[in-house]
Amino acid sequence: MSERFTKGMARNIYYGGGMFFMLLFVGLTFDTVVAIPERENRDQLTAEVAHGKALWEKNNCVGCHSLLGEGAYFAPELGNVFTRRGAGNEEAFHAYFAAWMAAQPIPVEGRRKMPQFNLTPEESRALSQFLIWTSRIDTNEWPPNNEG
């Protein structure tokens, strides 16, 4: 039995496949929109966190670091830096972060150098507060390892 692939069949496949994938796209979009409120932490957004985000952008931190998987991979992922270096203690993390930023660039031969941004104590605290806020976003286990 020889069948021919007709223009009508091709059109049906085209429109049927297009409709299927459009419905799939709409369904996945709806699922994402429903899941976002459960995964974000917008209620913890403060003026200090917003200032830290502005500093993140002003100093182009994403030019070297990645945050939640987005950005450059020259320097470590910072989406979980609070978990790695703060151990859940915000004040200890603020102190660690301020000391780390003040010590840059670290004079170790062969090591990548982070520039000195000359942050004020308030700016350092705001930037660390932004990183703490970011670490509390449900990233579905991203990054896959603790060291980013």
Side-chain angles (χ1 to χ4, degrees):
M1 177 164 92
S2 74
E3 287 190 36
R4 291 184 47 202
F5 190 72
T6 65
K7 287 183 181 180
M9 294 167 89
R11 184 179 54 244
N12 290 340
I13 291 171
Y14 175 78
Y15 286 126
M19 184 59 69
F20 171 77
F21 284 107
M22 178 57 82
L23 290 173
L24 180 64
F25 175 74
V26 168
L28 290 174
T29 301
F30 178 76
D31 180 61
T32 300
V33 168
V34 168
I36 285 175
E38 299 168 4
R39 298 181 66 186
E40 59 146 11
N41 58 352
R42 190 177 304 176
D43 58 323
Q44 298 172 15
L45 191 59
T46 64
E48 190 174 38
V49 171
H51 182 58
K53 171 75 161 92
L55 288 167
W56 172 269
E57 292 170 350
K58 175 185 165 201
N59 292 309
N60 191 28
C61 299
V62 78
C64 295
H65 293 278
S66 59
L67 186 66
L68 306 178
E70 295 293 324
Y73 288 94
F74 181 74
E77 160 75 35
L78 294 181
N80 65 350
V81 71
F82 175 62
T83 307
R84 288 183 285 156
R85 303 294 184 253
N89 184 333
E90 286 189 27
E91 289 309 314
F93 181 70
H94 291 309
Y96 163 81
F97 186 78
W100 177 262
M101 293 302 287
Q104 301 306 317
I106 296 176
V108 176
E109 190 63 35
R111 183 182 170 101
R112 297 174 186 167
K113 306 285 189 230
M114 182 170 160
Q116 176 55 258
F117 291 105
N118 298 313
L119 298 176
T120 66
E122 294 79 23
E123 290 174 332
S124 177
R125 185 171 181 85
L127 193 51
S128 65
Q129 202 57 39
F130 169 66
L131 293 173
I132 290 169
W133 180 82
T134 304
S135 73
R136 292 182 174 148
I137 296 172
D138 179 5
T139 58
N140 211 14
E141 304 302 322
W142 177 263
N145 62 39
N146 190 39
E147 284 302 314

